[in-house]
Amino acid sequence: MNATLEKEIALEKEKVFAPCIEVNNVTISFKTNNKTVFTAVKDINLKVGQGEIVSIIGHSGCGKSTLMNSISGMVTPTQGSVTVNSKTVKGPGPDRGIVFQNYSLLPWMSVYKNVYEAVDSVLKNKTKEEKHQIVEYNLQMVNLSQHKDKLPSQLSGGMKQRTAIARAFAINPSVLLLDEPFGALDALTKSSMHVELLKIWNLNKRQQTIVMVTHDIEEAIFLSDRVVVMNDGPEATIREIVDINLPRPRNKKEIVHLPAYMAVHDKLLGLLVKNLSIEDEGVMFEK
Ligand code: ADP
């Protein structure tokens, strides 16, 4: 390979992976009720490039949400720091949209109002008409225009989650943080939500950086560029970061037959079950 080509490739890589989120030596400890200190995650280092989709997987209680919350600003690292677009995270901010498993919609407001309120509180310089257009556009993206006057109690789980996603995208955050956003949905709805999410990400020219917590290997592979596998806690660390080298756009039915898919699926499964062994016909599981 000649030097110019090598330089071009290096520049291209730099462009694609210009760091957006940097987690630097982060340790997070909590004071417990009996006044001892519990360290959930320890010495975590992670860089997420702009426009990248990165999933964090690991067993329940290993510290996925804690790590995610240090990016959202809801948890302050005990040691180390987190930066988003080169600014140190000191609390939640409009540059980071968050979607939780439990939707967190305001129950007394319609779908439209739930999204409008978020837009109104963040995009203060826009006119009323501009805010209206933004809400309409985002509801259309998640196919909810026809249901915009309904209250959350009148929606299915998938529709509630689509509202939460529309709300997060409507404020146009540079980072979207998804904490097991599809965990409560049935398999079919979950599958169509994955497609919807990638559709919106594509419509936004793959500009948004997405970090997602999940314990679903297939979901992580289908959506992500890289998957961060965590060790069990306490003092959880990153076990390995696995590249998902599957071409985009991805078709769910097709990619599962690719050898690369099967290989990465096996690898992730291996990493997750490595520290579990079955003794006594499955009665006892131990590390
Ligand atoms: P995961 O998202 O992987 O299921 P969490 O990040 O929610 O795990 O929790 C990791 C560990 O940190 C758990 O043992 C949990 O009990 C503990 N933890 C999380 N938040 C707090 C808190 N505010 N105070 C004390 N312990 C906490």
Side-chain angles (χ1 to χ4, degrees):
M1 202 188 302
N2 70 39
T4 324
L5 190 56
E6 251 179 44
K7 205 171 163 192
E8 269 174 27
I9 291 174
L11 280 175
E12 190 61 25
K13 271 192 179 161
E14 223 168 78
K15 195 167 76 194
V16 175
F17 292 113
C20 172
I21 302 169
E22 294 187 58
V23 177
N24 303 309
N25 290 314
V26 162
T27 294
I28 300 169
S29 303
F30 299 106
K31 283 206 179 78
T32 60
N33 285 343
N34 60 5
K35 299 207 170 105
T36 55
V37 171
F38 177 85
T39 298
V41 298
K42 194 171 161 68
D43 292 335
I44 304 279
N45 284 292
L46 177 67
K47 281 191 171 68
V48 181
Q50 205 225 316
E52 230 191 330
I53 303 183
V54 169
S55 289
I56 304 171
I57 66 172
H59 298 141
S60 187
C62 73
K64 301 182 292 295
S65 298
T66 302
L67 174 59
M68 176 80 119
N69 287 340
S70 71
I71 302 172
S72 72
M74 290 190 292
V75 164
T76 308
T78 314
Q79 277 170 37
S81 64
V82 178
T83 61
V84 170
N85 295 322
S86 307
K87 280 194 210 126
T88 303
V89 170
K90 291 192 174 138
D95 55 337
R96 284 150 288 146
I98 311 169
V99 180
F100 298 104
Q101 182 174 338
N102 59 6
Y103 324 119
S104 52
L105 301 176
L106 298 170
W108 59 89
M109 282 185 189
S110 67
V111 165
Y112 179 93
K113 265 277 184 190
N114 260 286
V115 181
Y116 189 91
E117 280 300 304
V119 171
D120 194 35
S121 65
V122 173
L123 306 176
K124 293 198 169 78
N125 296 334
K126 302 266 182 209
T127 64
K128 233 176 172 180
E129 180 52 29
E130 283 169 334
K131 290 175 198 165
H132 170 71
Q133 294 297 339
I134 290 169
V135 177
E136 291 284 345
Y137 174 75
N138 282 279
L139 287 178
Q140 201 183 326
M141 280 207 299
V142 294
N143 285 326
L144 276 178
S145 300
Q146 285 180 344
H147 304 280
K148 64 181 180 185
D149 296 322
K150 289 186 177 167
L151 292 170
S153 60
Q154 299 168 315
L155 304 175
S156 68
M159 288 156 92
K160 283 185 211 169
Q161 204 51 296
R162 269 155 41 209
T163 309
I165 287 176
R167 183 179 57 183
F169 270 105
I171 58 169
N172 197 25
S174 71
V175 174
L176 195 62
L177 302 170
L178 309 173
D179 194 346
E180 296 208 39
F182 313 123
L185 304 178
D186 64 87
L188 271 180
T189 313
K190 195 188 221 190
S191 213
S192 62
M193 290 298 304
H194 293 156
V195 175
E196 294 288 346
L197 179 70
L198 290 183
K199 218 193 277 173
I200 305 173
W201 181 66
N202 274 317
L203 278 171
N204 286 331
K205 302 190 172 62
R206 303 185 182 181
Q207 288 295 303
Q208 252 117 5
T209 306
I210 301 180
V211 180
M212 181 177 71
V213 164
T214 180
H215 52 250
D216 181 333
I217 294 182
E218 287 83 15
E219 173 172 276
I221 299 176
F222 181 63
L223 296 174
S224 315
D225 295 304
R226 288 185 300 148
V227 177
V228 176
V229 184
M230 294 194 58
N231 283 313
D232 290 349
E235 301 193 349
T237 51
I238 291 177
R239 176 182 280 261
E240 196 168 326
I241 299 178
V242 178
D243 287 332
I244 310 296
N245 290 318
L246 294 169
R248 293 187 191 270
R250 294 174 186 169
N251 177 310
K252 231 174 209 191
K253 273 198 224 147
E254 286 166 11
I255 63 162
V256 291
H257 301 295
L258 296 176
Y261 177 95
M262 294 178 218
V264 84
H265 190 281
D266 271 6
K267 173 155 193 159
L268 289 171
L269 198 58
L271 286 167
L272 281 174
V273 299
K274 214 173 207 168
N275 50 359
L276 290 177
S277 68
I278 300 173
E279 286 181 13
D280 222 4
E281 295 190 8
V283 175
M284 196 175 101
F285 286 79
E286 67 176 27
K287 266 201 227 169

